[in-house]
Amino acid sequence: MSIIDTTKTIPAPRGDGEHQGPLLEVRDLHVEFHTRDGVAKAVNGVNYSVNAGETLAVLGESGSGKSVTAQAIMGILDMPPGKIPQGEIFFRGEDMLKMSAEERRKVRGRKIAMIFQDALSSLNPVLSVGYQLGEMFRVHQGLSKKDAKARSIELMDKVKIPAAAARVNDYPHQFSGGMRQRIMIAMALALEPDLIIADEPTTALDVTVQAQVMDLLAELQREYNMGLILITHDLGVVADVADKIAVMYAGRIVEQAPVHEIYKRPAHPYTKGLLASIPRLDQKGQELFAIKGLPPNLLKVPTGCAFNPRCTMAQDICSTDVPVLHPVAEQDGTELVGRGSACHFWKETIHG
Ligand SMILES: Nc1ncnc2c1ncn2[C@@H]1O[C@H](COP(=O)(O)OP(=O)(O)OP(=O)(O)O)[C@@H](O)[C@H]1O
Ligand code: SF4
Ligand SMILES: [Mg+2]
């Protein structure tokens, strides 16, 4: 199904059509920043995958490596100081880290698009939104100004901007925050990507608008069968839109699970803490739980499990041995598909 009418243009390539595995697969990715004060290991062996039509939510507090992983996938990491000493990022079975700069540029934007938190700084304030949207079609598809404008209006309609035709010549500051974020979604959709990475797409918006923009994104993702990586620090916003969740802490995935299972039965104390800190409608007025302490400075990550100084379940082994992501099983040993926890005491956490 097409987002826009592409009969007049040659559609962007949509993969090799033969690849059977996941749309995107990140394998053992490491990213480090070489700073004056030392080497900060921002991403430390991350593995995740996304299929077409699937939404992966990546969660974790500030500094856990969510955005840096996304920047590595997009090929927009600051290098230097950033460096990828190890890892593979397969898109439709092809390792993007082995592609030439030119091949990489073709994938970026056309096949993988990104939506950032702050639409105001991503959009050019002195150009109309119609011009900026139209540029995607003029530059990438060689459309005339008139056709590009018509396509822009279609896309603005698609992301439910009221009176799109009348507003196409307006400037970014003339739109509300929620409407600007819809424009960013429209820009990401313009070239019909296979995968969208949305980095905190609703964080700057108020709660009601957040839900509307999130619903729109989920609706479009389903309609066009795109993969979606949704980065957020808020477990509350992903319950209805994500298929699966990866929780990050200090550059590692500490828990992964299908979305509903993680809410019912977290298998990592950090996830448990994040869940307990979500405001709930049925507990109005009650003080919210907060995980004590702060995420570690990446130049001084605690030995063993990086979460150990903040963990209420920590034992001696936690400060000496790094826990690996372990498959999670029922008490009778039946493995829970798609689940993993990097905690020495995952059994006690999920079944305790
Ligand atoms: N250009 C850079 N130079 C040095 N360190 C960096 C750079 N970019 C990111 N980092 C470090 O990498 C770590 C991970 O950052 P990242 O932006 O991925 O966090 P995040 O999980 O997206 O957090 P947030 O929720 O705040 O967006 C942070 O400690 C950050 O300081
Ligand atoms: S490994 Fe230890 S410190 Fe880390 S989360 Fe599990 S119990 Fe807590
Ligand atoms: Mg971030």
Side-chain angles (χ1 to χ4, degrees):
M1 192 185 311
S2 172
I3 294 169
I4 46 175
D5 175 17
T6 49
T7 50
K8 291 179 219 152
T9 55
I10 301 163
R14 293 181 67 88
D16 55 24
E18 284 168 19
H19 173 65
Q20 298 292 316
L23 182 61
L24 178 87
E25 192 177 1
V26 175
R27 277 196 210 156
D28 195 28
L29 183 71
H30 292 250
V31 180
E32 50 193 39
F33 291 99
H34 291 247
T35 70
R36 247 189 344 210
D37 302 321
V39 178
K41 294 189 173 174
V43 178
N44 234 322
V46 160
N47 294 280
Y48 62 55
S49 67
V50 191
N51 293 313
E54 188 178 49
T55 297
L56 164 73
V58 181
L59 267 115
E61 286 166 298
S62 195
S64 54
K66 307 181 297 294
S67 297
V68 167
T69 308
Q71 287 159 10
I73 295 169
M74 280 301 278
I76 54 170
L77 259 183
D78 275 340
M79 298 209 280
K83 202 175 161 190
I84 302 180
Q86 199 175 322
E88 292 156 312
I89 303 173
F90 292 99
F91 182 74
R92 290 195 175 283
E94 211 178 325
D95 187 358
M96 293 197 289
L97 296 178
K98 296 205 172 82
M99 287 181 182
S100 68
E102 181 58 29
E103 284 173 317
R104 199 76 199 268
R105 245 196 315 278
K106 279 188 196 153
V107 173
R108 184 164 66 233
R110 282 199 173 195
K111 295 186 179 181
I112 309 180
M114 193 151 173
I115 302 168
F116 298 94
Q117 173 182 335
D118 185 1
L120 206 51
S121 62
S122 304
L123 290 165
N124 187 330
V126 300
L127 298 173
S128 72
V129 300
Y131 184 90
Q132 292 179 69
L133 269 172
E135 201 169 31
M136 306 291 291
F137 302 114
R138 289 192 304 274
V139 172
H140 293 279
Q141 298 186 335
L143 290 204
S144 69
K145 254 173 119 172
K146 190 168 158 247
D147 288 346
K149 186 173 172 183
R151 293 285 173 83
S152 304
I153 294 169
E154 258 178 69
L155 262 185
M156 286 169 73
D157 267 334
K158 191 81 214 170
V159 296
K160 301 181 182 155
I161 293 177
R167 302 215 61 187
V168 67
N169 293 324
D170 284 357
Y171 291 88
H173 73 269
Q174 293 173 283
F175 290 85
S176 66
M179 288 297 149
R180 276 198 295 268
Q181 207 56 328
R182 285 167 193 266
I183 292 162
M184 292 309 297
I185 294 174
M187 290 189 77
L189 287 176
L191 302 176
E192 302 188 33
D194 297 329
L195 175 72
I196 289 192
I197 304 177
D199 193 351
E200 309 267 6
T202 63
T203 303
L205 308 174
D206 70 46
V207 177
T208 355
V209 183
Q210 265 191 12
Q212 291 162 0
V213 171
M214 197 60 83
D215 286 347
L216 171 74
L217 196 54
E219 187 185 314
L220 293 166
Q221 180 257 343
R222 274 194 300 272
E223 191 176 340
Y224 301 113
N225 201 36
M226 293 177 292
L228 175 64
I229 298 178
L230 189 57
I231 296 171
T232 175
H233 58 260
D234 185 353
L235 250 172
V237 306
V238 297
D240 296 331
V241 293
D243 297 298
K244 58 188 189 183
I245 287 192
V247 180
M248 288 188 71
Y249 191 80
R252 294 175 194 268
I253 291 181
V254 293
E255 176 156 17
Q256 64 183 31
V259 71
H260 294 297
E261 289 191 28
I262 216 167
Y263 287 87
K264 275 192 262 163
R265 295 196 295 174
H268 195 284
Y270 179 59
T271 318
K272 237 179 172 168
L274 288 179
L275 282 167
S277 58
I278 303 176
R280 284 175 49 176
L281 286 175
D282 58 345
Q283 291 176 357
K284 251 188 184 166
Q286 275 191 28
E287 213 172 300
L288 277 178
F289 171 83
I291 302 170
K292 67 172 181 165
L294 292 170
N297 173 345
L298 291 180
L299 296 171
K300 286 187 216 141
V301 177
T303 53
C305 172
F307 187 55
N308 84 69
R310 305 174 72 190
C311 184
T312 50
M313 290 180 64
Q315 310 279 326
D316 289 349
I317 187 179
C318 302
S319 50
T320 52
D321 294 19
V322 178
V324 294
L325 199 69
H326 192 281
V328 171
E330 292 287 10
Q331 263 161 328
D332 66 6
T334 315
E335 196 172 307
L336 291 162
V337 178
R339 294 207 62 166
S341 167
C343 171
H344 295 303
F345 301 101
W346 65 266
K347 277 186 200 156
E348 289 76 356
T349 310
I350 189 168
H351 303 305

